[in-house]
Amino acid sequence: MILPIVTYPNKILKTVSAPVTEFDEALHRFLDDMYDTMMLSNGIGLAAIQVANPIRALILCIPDEEGNQSRDRLIEIINPVIHNPKGTTLYQEGCLSVPGFYEDVERYESLTLHYQDRFGNPCLLEAEELLSIAIQHEIDHLDGKLFIEKLSYNRRKKFEKEYKRAQKEKK
Ligand code: QAP
Ligand code: CO
């Protein structure tokens, strides 16, 4: 099932999501729906709150060198915690909840992620490059934060102006 994606400035995106406690069939169906929704929208990452479900769940599907995004590249991440963040890196980020806008954001270069899979099994992941950046972007969603909140005052002003104009043109 394809779920509607919540877009900025909807206040739902400010929700701090709650930990997942039940790793049941309903969660599995929801994660499958998140995957279908993300792939249809040409995304590489999606947090549950972006489809209006305030739980600490996110999915990532980082393309390989040829741009392939096959299902076996899918990572489902529940109740994540970042450990040992190292270094900083700049990347031009976008977001399915902020369509059509991309801007450079600073993130940690590498990190270790502690999380659970869809069955509640504890997992560990060493992440760097795009995977590390995507993890940080999606965990920010679980805490009610968007990448545009990390922009400087002037870039944020430029964003608000451009985004409002684009919204008007859509209507
Ligand atoms: C988050 O973002 C991310 O504006 C995932 O028109 C971003 O999948 C992780 C998208 C950057 C790491 C680096 C955005 C699709 C997809 C748009 C996305 C759009 C269509 C964004
Ligand atoms: Co996003």
Side-chain angles (χ1 to χ4, degrees):
M1 188 170 71
I2 302 300
L3 306 168
I5 295 178
V6 177
T7 56
Y8 180 82
N10 194 316
K11 288 206 170 72
I12 289 174
L13 294 169
K14 290 175 166 289
T15 312
V16 177
S17 294
V20 172
T21 55
E22 307 281 351
F23 297 82
D24 55 10
E25 210 169 298
L27 175 71
H28 298 174
R29 263 198 298 270
F30 174 67
L31 290 168
D32 292 343
D33 290 346
M34 281 182 70
Y35 176 76
D36 294 342
T37 302
M38 180 179 79
M39 295 311 283
L40 185 73
S41 310
N42 301 311
I44 62 167
L46 186 71
I49 195 63
Q50 293 181 272
V51 289
N53 190 346
I55 63 170
R56 301 190 81 79
L58 63 94
I59 61 169
L60 299 168
C61 194
I62 306 295
D64 67 15
E65 306 80 53
E66 281 134 46
N68 295 314
Q69 245 184 323
S70 54
R71 197 179 173 120
D72 60 284
R73 303 187 65 81
L74 172 66
I75 311 176
E76 296 172 337
I77 294 174
I78 320 285
N79 300 331
V81 182
I82 291 174
H83 291 261
N84 307 315
K86 289 196 185 90
T88 57
T89 184
L90 271 188
Y91 191 87
Q92 191 176 50
E93 298 190 10
C95 179
L96 287 171
S97 293
V98 190
F101 185 81
Y102 307 84
E103 193 58 90
D104 279 358
V105 175
E106 191 182 292
R107 301 285 185 184
Y108 301 123
E109 208 165 32
S110 68
L111 55 86
T112 304
L113 194 70
H114 292 228
Y115 67 101
Q116 287 168 285
D117 67 12
R118 61 160 64 200
F119 304 104
N121 301 314
C123 301
L124 204 73
L125 177 65
E126 298 287 347
E128 55 180 22
E129 302 179 324
L130 186 55
L131 178 60
S132 164
I133 294 163
I135 287 169
Q136 294 168 68
H137 176 110
E138 300 308 335
I139 291 179
D140 272 358
H141 278 298
L142 306 188
D143 294 322
K145 303 240 156 41
L146 295 175
F147 79 102
I148 51 169
E149 295 168 45
K150 297 177 70 80
L151 305 180
S152 69
Y153 181 79
N154 277 292
R155 284 185 190 271
R156 176 63 183 265
K157 242 181 17 190
K158 174 176 154 264
F159 158 72
E160 294 293 344
K161 196 172 147 196
E162 282 179 13
Y163 192 77
K164 267 180 200 146
R165 160 169 290 224
Q167 297 288 98
K168 259 189 200 161
E169 280 166 3
K170 266 188 201 167
K171 283 171 195 167

